[in-house]
Amino acid sequence: MNKNTKILIPEISGDWTERLRSGGTNIWNHALHGKPHRNGLPEVRLDPPETGLYAELIDGAWYWVSGCAKCNESGERWSYSVCDKHNVCRLCSTHRSKLTGTPWGHPDGFTCKPCQDAVDAIAKAEALARFAESEYDQHDFCSMDECKCPHCATGIHIEAEDYRDQNMKCDTCGGLFGLRIEYEPSFTTTVIGERVTA
């Protein structure tokens, strides 16, 4: 795909300045909950003529332009519109159409399941080797400032809304463990009646 691609979209007036994207589909005058857009114009949905293009308003007219960061050599990560040529695994270059499993998202595109499995196996072996060298014991996993897997000592981020006792599986080594949330006591006091001043 040429990074200078610019194809006029005659179906869309330049007066229509609001556009949403849903996957590859571009939507103008998006109707919410079955109600027409506030400008009264009909909703229009168009797919680009080629994968990797998206609609952009340029000098008062809508054009299909390249959204592929690799074609555009923009250096951007997490490209929203990837062309067919660059829609490949970042490690083995297998095209997305040839995948049999769900790929893993990555800032540089995606990683196919076999490649991700290989990456995960290396990370697991490295974590277990570090654990063995460090001679941890069970007391190293008590009253910690962060959650760590007791099998491989990998730090695990827990969102505040997930603060509860639970059984977990480590994403690095696959080890199962129980997590118990421990709280430090804190105190709040309030005056009852009138404040004592003398």
Side-chain angles (χ1 to χ4, degrees):
M1 174 183 299
N2 186 323
K3 65 182 176 180
N4 298 316
T5 298
K6 186 176 166 186
I7 305 167
L8 182 66
I9 308 172
E11 301 94 332
I12 305 299
S13 163
D15 297 333
W16 297 4
T17 57
E18 293 183 31
R19 188 253 311 131
L20 298 173
R21 288 193 283 174
S22 177
T25 303
N26 290 256
I27 307 166
W28 289 266
N29 304 321
H30 178 58
L32 288 173
H33 310 295
K35 295 180 181 179
H37 191 274
R38 67 181 176 273
N39 64 16
L41 296 171
E43 179 177 281
V44 176
R45 293 172 173 256
L46 294 176
D47 290 323
E50 186 180 329
T51 303
L53 297 178
Y54 73 97
E56 185 171 303
L57 184 62
I58 302 171
D59 296 328
W62 285 96
Y63 293 88
W64 294 116
V65 297
S66 172
C68 180
K70 290 181 181 161
C71 288
N72 296 340
E73 300 172 346
S74 66
E76 291 179 18
R77 303 182 92 191
W78 296 107
S79 184
Y80 187 82
S81 299
V82 180
C83 75
D84 197 53
K85 175 184 173 186
H86 292 118
N87 199 9
V88 296
C89 173
R90 67 185 183 91
L91 298 176
C92 72
S93 297
T94 298
H95 194 273
R96 187 179 292 267
S97 64
K98 306 264 191 253
L99 300 182
T100 56
T102 304
W104 291 78
H106 188 275
D108 294 324
F110 69 86
T111 308
C112 70
K113 186 169 183 341
C115 286
Q116 188 63 48
D117 289 346
V119 167
D120 291 346
I122 291 168
K124 177 181 180 177
E126 289 173 350
L128 293 174
R130 281 192 306 272
F131 186 89
E133 289 173 8
S134 298
E135 299 180 2
Y136 286 104
D137 68 27
Q138 65 188 28
H139 300 292
D140 292 315
F141 298 93
C142 296
S143 300
M144 299 176 289
D145 291 336
E146 68 172 330
C147 177
K148 286 187 182 178
C149 172
H151 298 280
C152 68
T154 297
I156 299 170
H157 176 74
I158 308 289
E159 295 291 341
E161 61 267 18
D162 294 325
Y163 279 13
R164 67 181 184 285
D165 293 355
Q166 59 185 300
N167 291 333
M168 299 186 69
K169 181 178 180 180
C170 177
D171 289 338
T172 301
C173 73
L176 300 174
F177 63 94
L179 170 66
R180 187 176 75 234
I181 303 293
E182 298 169 344
Y183 295 95
E184 293 279 332
S186 61
F187 304 92
T188 301
T189 61
T190 57
V191 171
I192 297 176
E194 292 186 31
R195 178 174 302 280
V196 175
T197 59

